[in-house]
Structures are given as structure tokens and as C-alpha cells.
Amino acid sequence: KKSARVMKQAVAHLMPFMEAEKDGGREAAGKILMATVKGDVHDIGKNIVGVVLQCNNYEVVDLGVMVPADRILDEAVAHKVDMIGLSGLITPSLDEMAFVAGEMQRRGMTIPLLIGGATTSKTHTAVKIEPRYDGPTTYVLDASRAVGVVSSLLSETEGPRVAAETRAEYARVRESYARGQGNRARATLAEARENALRADFEAYAPPQPSFLGTRAFVDYDLGELARHIDWSPFFASWELVGRFPQILEDDVVG
């Protein structure tokens, strides 16, 4: 919560400067409607994507959070946007995104649909969302990929090719997913019940802890603690793949 508030305050501080630097005579590269779907209040990721797009000369119509499907599509038509971006963090958002895609199909819309958020994935987009909408549907991994995806889809020369390649890729993802589902060995209900855990707590003697209550570590050697930190996950989060400390000697990222 606190980091989200800091992010929003930082964006609010930057927006006037971004608006001031805009070339008044320059036409926007495209207009994108963004919204966090109904039932979900998380928006920091969406806001970051919006800022990144605006920095790259795209006009963003941000509807905020908890936005019903009808309002998303009505506003998209009213603002004549070039594409719709849906965001969500919690699991129910996945079903809501699929519902929005189905509504876009029912209304006969053809503009691209972008899917993003922590719980979303390429597999979910390919299996649950893309089949419900004939228009281009694309999963966006994170904010750093948004501009590339948007620019390619809006390109008159690249757009159709990228959309066709994505559709073919998602078809392969669906096939792979279906094979994985079919190849799983599943026990029958009777077998599962027969294999149920039978715990005998009467004969169980739990181990006793070495102490009860609180124990404070005073004047602990921080240098000794630091020696045991594995920084590999930290570097991996920045896409600097390698084991620590060997990564520090790497010719490329060291």
C-alpha cells in the first residue's frame, strides 16, 4: 500500500512536466484505453504502463479501477481508441478479462486487446481469453514491453503480421496445454480416498523447541550475516542472470 501511494505521488509530480514538454502540434501515435477490471482495485502496474506509454507519445484514457465491462467498451467507442488494455492482480480478474473479451466479440469490435497483471500469463491468455475474441489479443509481460507491443500492433505494415504470429503462437500454447492436461495420470476418487493420510497423533511425540519466548540477538556481526546473503535472486529480478558471486566477474554484466 505504501509503495503504491509513493508511486502515485511521484507520477502526479511528473505529469505536469510531461504535459509541458509535449509538442502541441505533434499528433499522438495512438490512443489506448486502460482499466483495472471489475472486482479489482490494484492499479500501480496499470499506472506505470500508462506513464510509459504517455512518455512515448501515446494518448492514454485511464478509467481507473473496478471498471465494469460495459463501461470499458462504451468508453472505448466514445473515445475512438485504437486498443484496450485490461489489468488485474487477483484471480477473479482472470475470468472478468475473459468476459470482457467475449463482450468485445459480441459487439463486433476488432481493435487489439492487451492483457496484463501479476496473475495473468501467456498460457491463460491463450487458453481462456484469445479464443473468445476474433480481434488481436496479446499478453504483455510487464511495463517495459508495453511500448513495443503497442507500436507493433498499431503499425500499418507490422500490425497484421504481428497479430498473425501471435495468434499462431497462442494456438501452439493451447495445444501444448491440452497435451499436458491429457497426459496427467489422475487417480480415481476411490483410489484417492484409499490413499488418504491416516495420522496417528496418539503415538506422536512432537519435538520440543530449545527455548520458549523471545530471544534477542544483540550486537550480532552484520558482516557475518552479509556473508551468507545470496544475491542471485536480486540480479535475476533485473534480468542479470548468473550465480552470485561469480556474476560479478562476468564479461557482460559483471
Side-chain angles (χ1 to χ4, degrees):
K1 295 286 187 179
K2 187 174 290 186
S3 62
R5 288 197 300 269
V6 171
M7 175 63 197
K8 290 177 182 178
Q9 291 174 9
V11 170
H13 179 78
L14 288 173
M15 287 305 296
F17 294 97
M18 292 168 55
E19 293 294 332
E21 288 190 5
K22 280 185 178 178
D23 183 353
R26 186 174 60 172
E27 185 177 349
K31 184 186 289 188
I32 299 97
L33 182 142
M34 300 185 65
T36 299
V37 295
K38 184 179 75 173
D40 200 327
V41 298
H42 298 90
D43 65 350
I44 188 167
K46 170 182 65 63
N47 295 347
I48 293 173
V49 172
V51 171
V52 171
L53 290 173
Q54 287 173 303
C55 288
N56 285 271
N57 195 38
Y58 290 97
E59 183 179 348
V60 174
V61 179
D62 191 341
L63 299 185
V65 301
M66 294 279 289
V67 189
D70 285 348
R71 184 176 174 227
I72 291 173
L73 305 188
D74 289 344
E75 294 286 348
V77 173
H79 288 280
K80 299 179 180 179
V81 300
D82 298 303
M83 67 178 62
I84 294 173
L86 301 180
S87 176
L89 180 66
I90 59 177
T91 305
S93 299
L94 302 177
D95 291 334
E96 181 65 18
M97 289 176 176
F99 175 71
V100 174
E103 286 298 286
M104 292 177 71
Q105 178 70 15
R106 187 179 65 81
R107 292 193 183 200
M109 302 178 77
T110 58
I111 60 176
L113 172 64
L114 307 181
I115 302 295
T119 54
T120 60
S121 67
K122 181 186 292 186
T123 299
H124 177 267
T125 303
V127 173
K128 298 289 187 179
I129 301 178
E130 200 253 4
R132 303 191 64 170
Y133 179 52
D134 289 343
T137 304
T138 307
Y139 167 65
V140 184
L141 178 62
D142 57 44
S144 67
R145 317 293 173 90
V147 173
V149 172
V150 169
S151 63
S152 61
L153 286 172
L154 292 184
S155 169
E156 292 184 4
T157 56
E158 294 294 309
R161 178 185 63 80
V162 170
E165 289 177 353
T166 302
R167 192 175 296 278
E169 179 186 4
Y170 287 3
R172 291 192 295 271
V173 170
R174 283 194 295 275
E175 292 171 4
S176 175
Y177 176 81
R179 284 197 301 271
Q181 293 294 101
N183 293 338
R184 289 182 180 177
R186 292 179 171 85
T188 65
L189 179 60
E191 290 171 336
R193 286 174 172 169
E194 181 63 27
N195 196 39
L197 175 65
R198 292 172 175 82
D200 182 9
F201 287 104
E202 295 296 329
Y204 176 70
Q208 293 187 355
S210 60
F211 71 94
L212 297 176
T214 302
R215 176 178 293 178
F217 290 90
V218 182
D219 295 331
Y220 206 89
D221 185 355
L222 298 182
E224 176 64 16
L225 277 178
R227 195 170 64 83
H228 295 279
I229 296 176
D230 180 8
W231 289 94
S232 301
F234 170 80
F235 290 117
S237 68
W238 290 96
E239 298 185 0
L240 302 175
V241 181
R243 297 294 300 172
F244 176 82
Q246 292 84 353
I247 188 174
L248 300 177
E249 307 300 326
D250 187 273
D251 291 338
V252 177
V253 300

